Short mmCIF file of all heavy atoms in Angstrom, two decimals:
data_model
loop_
_atom_site.label_atom_id
_atom_site.label_comp_id
_atom_site.label_asym_id
_atom_site.label_seq_id
_atom_site.Cartn_x
_atom_site.Cartn_y
_atom_site.Cartn_z
N LEU A 1 -4.49 -14.60 17.01
CA LEU A 1 -3.83 -13.42 17.21
C LEU A 1 -4.92 -12.34 17.38
O LEU A 1 -5.69 -12.12 16.54
CB LEU A 1 -2.92 -13.09 16.09
CG LEU A 1 -1.92 -14.16 15.63
CD1 LEU A 1 -1.06 -13.54 14.42
CD2 LEU A 1 -0.91 -14.49 16.89
N TYR A 2 -4.86 -11.58 18.56
CA TYR A 2 -5.74 -10.43 18.67
C TYR A 2 -4.97 -9.22 18.99
O TYR A 2 -3.95 -9.28 19.49
CB TYR A 2 -6.67 -10.68 19.95
CG TYR A 2 -7.34 -11.92 20.06
CD1 TYR A 2 -6.64 -13.16 20.53
CD2 TYR A 2 -8.75 -12.15 19.54
CE1 TYR A 2 -7.39 -14.27 20.84
CE2 TYR A 2 -9.24 -13.35 19.80
CZ TYR A 2 -8.66 -14.39 20.47
OH TYR A 2 -9.33 -15.58 20.43
N ALA A 3 -5.57 -8.11 18.41
CA ALA A 3 -4.83 -6.76 18.68
C ALA A 3 -5.90 -5.83 19.18
O ALA A 3 -7.04 -5.71 18.55
CB ALA A 3 -4.14 -6.26 17.43
N LEU A 4 -5.58 -5.16 20.23
CA LEU A 4 -6.68 -4.00 20.68
C LEU A 4 -6.33 -2.84 19.89
O LEU A 4 -7.26 -2.03 19.94
CB LEU A 4 -6.27 -3.73 22.24
CG LEU A 4 -7.37 -3.06 22.93
CD1 LEU A 4 -8.66 -3.84 22.92
CD2 LEU A 4 -6.89 -2.86 24.41
N ASN A 5 -5.33 -2.64 19.26
CA ASN A 5 -4.99 -1.47 18.29
C ASN A 5 -5.52 -1.90 16.88
O ASN A 5 -4.86 -2.81 16.28
CB ASN A 5 -3.52 -1.01 18.35
CG ASN A 5 -3.37 0.36 17.45
OD1 ASN A 5 -4.03 0.50 16.45
ND2 ASN A 5 -2.45 1.07 17.98
N PRO A 6 -6.55 -1.39 16.38
CA PRO A 6 -7.03 -1.81 15.09
C PRO A 6 -6.14 -1.61 13.95
O PRO A 6 -6.37 -2.28 12.89
CB PRO A 6 -8.47 -1.01 14.87
CG PRO A 6 -8.25 0.27 15.85
CD PRO A 6 -7.40 -0.17 16.99
N ALA A 7 -5.23 -0.65 14.11
CA ALA A 7 -4.16 -0.51 12.99
C ALA A 7 -3.37 -1.74 12.74
O ALA A 7 -2.85 -1.87 11.58
CB ALA A 7 -3.36 0.67 13.32
N MET A 8 -3.35 -2.64 13.57
CA MET A 8 -2.56 -3.94 13.46
C MET A 8 -3.28 -4.90 12.62
O MET A 8 -2.72 -5.83 12.22
CB MET A 8 -2.26 -4.44 14.73
CG MET A 8 -1.18 -3.69 15.56
SD MET A 8 -0.66 -4.74 17.12
CE MET A 8 0.06 -6.14 16.35
N ILE A 9 -4.65 -4.84 12.45
CA ILE A 9 -5.39 -5.97 11.97
C ILE A 9 -4.93 -6.47 10.60
O ILE A 9 -4.68 -7.63 10.37
CB ILE A 9 -6.88 -5.64 12.03
CG1 ILE A 9 -7.41 -5.38 13.40
CG2 ILE A 9 -7.72 -6.87 11.33
CD1 ILE A 9 -7.23 -6.51 14.22
N PRO A 10 -4.69 -5.52 9.54
CA PRO A 10 -4.28 -6.08 8.21
C PRO A 10 -2.96 -6.81 8.35
O PRO A 10 -2.57 -7.94 7.69
CB PRO A 10 -4.06 -4.77 7.48
CG PRO A 10 -5.05 -3.77 8.18
CD PRO A 10 -4.98 -4.07 9.55
N ALA A 11 -1.95 -6.11 9.13
CA ALA A 11 -0.68 -6.87 9.22
C ALA A 11 -0.81 -8.20 10.12
O ALA A 11 -0.22 -9.11 9.76
CB ALA A 11 0.33 -6.00 10.06
N LEU A 12 -1.70 -8.24 11.06
CA LEU A 12 -1.92 -9.63 11.65
C LEU A 12 -2.50 -10.61 10.75
O LEU A 12 -1.99 -11.77 10.77
CB LEU A 12 -2.89 -9.39 12.91
CG LEU A 12 -2.47 -8.92 14.23
CD1 LEU A 12 -3.50 -8.97 15.14
CD2 LEU A 12 -1.15 -9.36 14.64
N CYS A 13 -3.39 -10.13 9.89
CA CYS A 13 -3.89 -11.17 8.93
C CYS A 13 -2.71 -11.62 7.96
O CYS A 13 -2.77 -12.79 7.57
CB CYS A 13 -5.09 -10.55 8.18
SG CYS A 13 -6.55 -10.19 9.11
N ALA A 14 -2.02 -10.81 7.57
CA ALA A 14 -0.90 -10.98 6.71
C ALA A 14 0.08 -11.95 7.38
O ALA A 14 0.60 -12.97 6.61
CB ALA A 14 -0.20 -9.84 6.12
N ALA A 15 0.46 -11.63 8.56
CA ALA A 15 1.31 -12.53 9.34
C ALA A 15 0.80 -13.97 9.51
O ALA A 15 1.47 -14.96 9.36
CB ALA A 15 1.56 -12.04 10.75
N ALA A 16 -0.50 -14.02 9.93
CA ALA A 16 -1.20 -15.29 10.07
C ALA A 16 -1.10 -16.16 8.73
O ALA A 16 -0.88 -17.37 8.93
CB ALA A 16 -2.67 -15.08 10.48
N GLY A 17 -1.31 -15.46 7.57
CA GLY A 17 -1.30 -16.28 6.32
C GLY A 17 0.09 -16.83 6.09
O GLY A 17 0.24 -17.55 5.13
N SER A 18 1.17 -16.37 6.69
CA SER A 18 2.52 -17.06 6.44
C SER A 18 2.71 -18.15 7.17
O SER A 18 3.89 -18.80 7.05
CB SER A 18 3.52 -15.69 6.83
OG SER A 18 3.44 -14.73 6.00
N PHE A 19 1.92 -18.61 8.10
CA PHE A 19 2.25 -19.75 9.00
C PHE A 19 0.86 -20.58 8.98
O PHE A 19 -0.20 -20.19 9.16
CB PHE A 19 2.59 -19.34 10.41
CG PHE A 19 3.91 -18.51 10.32
CD1 PHE A 19 3.87 -17.20 10.32
CD2 PHE A 19 5.05 -19.20 10.65
CE1 PHE A 19 4.92 -16.33 10.42
CE2 PHE A 19 6.24 -18.40 10.67
CZ PHE A 19 6.13 -17.00 10.52
N SER A 20 1.06 -21.90 9.04
CA SER A 20 0.03 -22.84 9.17
C SER A 20 -0.57 -22.68 10.46
O SER A 20 0.10 -22.58 11.57
CB SER A 20 0.42 -24.24 8.83
OG SER A 20 0.91 -24.43 7.52
N ASP A 21 -1.96 -22.84 10.58
CA ASP A 21 -2.57 -22.89 11.97
C ASP A 21 -2.53 -21.56 12.74
O ASP A 21 -2.84 -21.67 13.98
CB ASP A 21 -2.07 -24.13 12.73
CG ASP A 21 -2.53 -25.44 12.18
OD1 ASP A 21 -3.50 -25.47 11.55
OD2 ASP A 21 -1.69 -26.44 12.36
N VAL A 22 -2.31 -20.54 12.09
CA VAL A 22 -2.24 -19.21 12.80
C VAL A 22 -3.55 -18.46 12.12
O VAL A 22 -3.63 -18.40 10.94
CB VAL A 22 -1.02 -18.48 12.61
CG1 VAL A 22 -1.02 -17.19 13.27
CG2 VAL A 22 0.14 -19.33 13.16
N ARG A 23 -4.33 -17.89 13.05
CA ARG A 23 -5.46 -17.09 12.55
C ARG A 23 -5.47 -15.88 13.34
O ARG A 23 -5.03 -15.60 14.50
CB ARG A 23 -6.73 -18.01 12.83
CG ARG A 23 -6.85 -19.35 12.24
CD ARG A 23 -7.05 -19.23 10.77
NE ARG A 23 -7.10 -20.69 10.22
CZ ARG A 23 -6.12 -21.23 9.64
NH1 ARG A 23 -4.94 -20.65 9.53
NH2 ARG A 23 -6.32 -22.43 9.17
N CYS A 24 -6.14 -14.88 12.60
CA CYS A 24 -6.47 -13.63 13.09
C CYS A 24 -7.85 -13.63 13.84
O CYS A 24 -8.77 -14.23 13.37
CB CYS A 24 -6.51 -12.43 12.07
SG CYS A 24 -6.91 -10.83 12.80
N GLY A 25 -7.83 -13.28 15.18
CA GLY A 25 -9.05 -13.39 16.00
C GLY A 25 -10.16 -12.50 15.83
O GLY A 25 -9.98 -11.47 15.20
N ALA A 26 -11.15 -12.64 16.57
CA ALA A 26 -12.25 -11.74 16.61
C ALA A 26 -11.97 -10.36 17.15
O ALA A 26 -10.86 -10.12 17.78
CB ALA A 26 -13.44 -12.27 17.57
N ALA A 27 -12.75 -9.36 16.75
CA ALA A 27 -12.50 -7.95 17.14
C ALA A 27 -12.54 -7.96 18.68
O ALA A 27 -13.52 -8.33 19.28
CB ALA A 27 -13.63 -7.06 16.56
N TRP A 28 -11.57 -7.35 19.28
CA TRP A 28 -11.36 -7.47 20.62
C TRP A 28 -11.60 -6.08 21.33
O TRP A 28 -11.13 -5.14 21.07
CB TRP A 28 -9.91 -7.90 20.87
CG TRP A 28 -9.53 -7.95 22.47
CD1 TRP A 28 -10.24 -8.35 23.42
CD2 TRP A 28 -8.09 -7.67 22.88
NE1 TRP A 28 -9.47 -8.29 24.55
CE2 TRP A 28 -8.11 -7.96 24.26
CE3 TRP A 28 -6.82 -7.37 22.26
CZ2 TRP A 28 -7.04 -7.73 25.05
CZ3 TRP A 28 -5.76 -7.21 23.13
CH2 TRP A 28 -5.82 -7.50 24.40
N TRP A 29 -12.53 -6.27 22.44
CA TRP A 29 -12.71 -5.20 23.40
C TRP A 29 -13.11 -3.87 22.81
O TRP A 29 -14.32 -3.71 22.46
CB TRP A 29 -11.40 -5.02 24.23
CG TRP A 29 -11.58 -4.43 25.57
CD1 TRP A 29 -12.59 -3.77 26.16
CD2 TRP A 29 -10.58 -4.53 26.64
NE1 TRP A 29 -12.24 -3.44 27.29
CE2 TRP A 29 -11.10 -3.84 27.69
CE3 TRP A 29 -9.26 -5.06 26.67
CZ2 TRP A 29 -10.39 -3.64 28.89
CZ3 TRP A 29 -8.63 -4.87 27.88
CH2 TRP A 29 -9.03 -4.24 29.01
N PHE A 30 -12.17 -2.88 22.70
CA PHE A 30 -12.61 -1.56 22.17
C PHE A 30 -12.94 -1.63 20.62
O PHE A 30 -13.40 -0.58 20.06
CB PHE A 30 -11.50 -0.46 22.34
CG PHE A 30 -11.13 -0.33 23.89
CD1 PHE A 30 -9.92 -0.49 24.24
CD2 PHE A 30 -12.12 0.05 24.74
CE1 PHE A 30 -9.50 -0.39 25.69
CE2 PHE A 30 -11.80 0.20 26.07
CZ PHE A 30 -10.46 -0.05 26.48
N CYS A 31 -12.64 -2.76 20.02
CA CYS A 31 -12.87 -2.94 18.68
C CYS A 31 -14.20 -3.85 18.42
O CYS A 31 -14.56 -3.98 17.29
CB CYS A 31 -11.84 -3.48 18.02
SG CYS A 31 -10.24 -2.76 18.13
N ASP A 32 -14.81 -4.24 19.58
CA ASP A 32 -15.92 -5.14 19.47
C ASP A 32 -17.25 -4.38 19.31
O ASP A 32 -18.12 -4.36 20.17
CB ASP A 32 -15.99 -5.92 20.72
CG ASP A 32 -17.00 -7.10 20.72
OD1 ASP A 32 -17.46 -7.40 19.71
OD2 ASP A 32 -17.35 -7.67 21.84
N HIS A 33 -17.45 -3.65 18.15
CA HIS A 33 -18.59 -2.88 17.80
C HIS A 33 -18.82 -3.18 16.34
O HIS A 33 -18.15 -3.87 15.52
CB HIS A 33 -18.34 -1.44 18.05
CG HIS A 33 -16.93 -0.96 17.57
ND1 HIS A 33 -16.63 -0.97 16.33
CD2 HIS A 33 -15.96 -0.61 18.33
CE1 HIS A 33 -15.40 -0.34 16.27
NE2 HIS A 33 -15.00 -0.17 17.47
N LYS A 34 -19.92 -2.71 15.89
CA LYS A 34 -20.42 -3.05 14.55
C LYS A 34 -19.34 -2.84 13.50
O LYS A 34 -18.94 -3.62 12.60
CB LYS A 34 -21.60 -2.14 14.12
CG LYS A 34 -22.05 -2.37 12.66
CD LYS A 34 -23.40 -1.33 12.43
CE LYS A 34 -23.75 -1.52 11.06
NZ LYS A 34 -24.95 -0.64 10.82
N ARG A 35 -18.76 -1.58 13.42
CA ARG A 35 -17.64 -1.28 12.49
C ARG A 35 -16.46 -2.09 12.72
O ARG A 35 -15.87 -2.70 11.70
CB ARG A 35 -17.32 0.25 12.51
CG ARG A 35 -16.17 0.67 11.65
CD ARG A 35 -15.93 2.23 11.65
NE ARG A 35 -15.82 2.61 13.04
CZ ARG A 35 -14.62 2.62 13.53
NH1 ARG A 35 -13.52 2.30 13.05
NH2 ARG A 35 -14.50 3.21 14.77
N GLY A 36 -16.09 -2.30 13.83
CA GLY A 36 -14.84 -3.08 14.18
C GLY A 36 -15.05 -4.48 13.77
O GLY A 36 -14.05 -5.18 13.18
N ILE A 37 -16.15 -5.06 14.08
CA ILE A 37 -16.39 -6.60 13.73
C ILE A 37 -16.34 -6.68 12.15
O ILE A 37 -15.76 -7.52 11.62
CB ILE A 37 -17.78 -7.11 14.33
CG1 ILE A 37 -17.60 -7.15 15.87
CG2 ILE A 37 -18.19 -8.30 13.65
CD1 ILE A 37 -18.85 -7.46 16.46
N ARG A 38 -16.98 -5.80 11.58
CA ARG A 38 -17.02 -5.81 10.01
C ARG A 38 -15.72 -5.65 9.46
O ARG A 38 -15.32 -6.30 8.49
CB ARG A 38 -18.01 -4.72 9.39
CG ARG A 38 -19.53 -5.07 9.70
CD ARG A 38 -20.33 -3.91 8.92
NE ARG A 38 -20.15 -3.96 7.48
CZ ARG A 38 -20.90 -4.47 6.73
NH1 ARG A 38 -22.23 -4.97 7.09
NH2 ARG A 38 -20.71 -4.35 5.33
N GLU A 39 -14.87 -4.65 10.02
CA GLU A 39 -13.57 -4.43 9.52
C GLU A 39 -12.67 -5.67 9.70
O GLU A 39 -11.97 -6.08 8.66
CB GLU A 39 -12.97 -3.21 10.16
CG GLU A 39 -13.45 -1.94 9.66
CD GLU A 39 -12.80 -0.78 10.29
OE1 GLU A 39 -12.00 -0.91 11.29
OE2 GLU A 39 -13.09 0.42 10.04
N VAL A 40 -12.76 -6.34 10.82
CA VAL A 40 -12.00 -7.61 10.94
C VAL A 40 -12.42 -8.55 10.07
O VAL A 40 -11.54 -9.28 9.28
CB VAL A 40 -12.08 -8.06 12.43
CG1 VAL A 40 -11.60 -9.57 12.50
CG2 VAL A 40 -11.43 -7.23 13.41
N LEU A 41 -13.66 -8.88 9.84
CA LEU A 41 -14.21 -9.88 8.88
C LEU A 41 -13.79 -9.50 7.55
O LEU A 41 -13.38 -10.43 6.68
CB LEU A 41 -15.67 -9.94 9.11
CG LEU A 41 -16.28 -10.57 10.32
CD1 LEU A 41 -17.72 -10.46 10.30
CD2 LEU A 41 -15.92 -12.09 10.52
N GLU A 42 -13.97 -8.25 7.04
CA GLU A 42 -13.65 -7.95 5.66
C GLU A 42 -12.07 -7.93 5.44
O GLU A 42 -11.65 -8.36 4.36
CB GLU A 42 -14.11 -6.42 5.51
CG GLU A 42 -15.58 -6.31 5.36
CD GLU A 42 -16.05 -4.85 5.36
OE1 GLU A 42 -15.34 -3.95 5.66
OE2 GLU A 42 -17.19 -4.66 4.95
N THR A 43 -11.29 -7.65 6.56
CA THR A 43 -9.84 -7.79 6.41
C THR A 43 -9.33 -9.16 6.26
O THR A 43 -8.51 -9.53 5.42
CB THR A 43 -9.13 -7.01 7.58
OG1 THR A 43 -9.61 -5.70 7.63
CG2 THR A 43 -7.69 -7.04 7.26
N VAL A 44 -9.93 -10.01 7.08
CA VAL A 44 -9.75 -11.49 6.91
C VAL A 44 -10.08 -11.93 5.64
O VAL A 44 -9.26 -12.79 4.92
CB VAL A 44 -10.40 -12.31 8.14
CG1 VAL A 44 -10.30 -13.75 7.88
CG2 VAL A 44 -9.81 -11.93 9.47
N ALA A 45 -11.24 -11.54 5.12
CA ALA A 45 -11.63 -12.10 3.75
C ALA A 45 -10.67 -11.51 2.81
O ALA A 45 -10.35 -12.38 1.77
CB ALA A 45 -13.08 -11.57 3.41
N GLU A 46 -10.30 -10.40 2.84
CA GLU A 46 -9.38 -9.77 1.68
C GLU A 46 -8.08 -10.37 1.76
O GLU A 46 -7.33 -10.53 0.74
CB GLU A 46 -9.33 -8.22 1.87
CG GLU A 46 -10.63 -7.52 1.62
CD GLU A 46 -10.72 -6.18 2.18
OE1 GLU A 46 -9.74 -5.75 2.83
OE2 GLU A 46 -11.81 -5.29 1.76
#
């Protein structure tokens, strides 16, 4: 699952965790920068 709107990332990670074999993907496009990549990784970790 990828979202171009970064506000979706925590909810995407939570949704992914409710189903087997569903993952939150890499920071996409306008989010593909230092802060965006770190935020995705940290949110997935949390």
Side-chain angles (χ1 to χ4, degrees):
L1 310 177
Y2 308 89
L4 198 54
N5 189 325
M8 286 186 65
I9 299 302
L12 280 191
C13 290
S18 298
F19 298 89
S20 297
D21 292 326
V22 179
R23 301 287 180 265
C24 185
W28 176 33
W29 203 343
F30 300 123
C31 304
D32 186 15
H33 43 67
K34 178 182 176 181
R35 177 172 53 83
I37 291 172
R38 285 184 66 106
E39 285 183 354
V40 167
L41 293 172
E42 289 173 342
T43 304
V44 170
E46 291 164 352

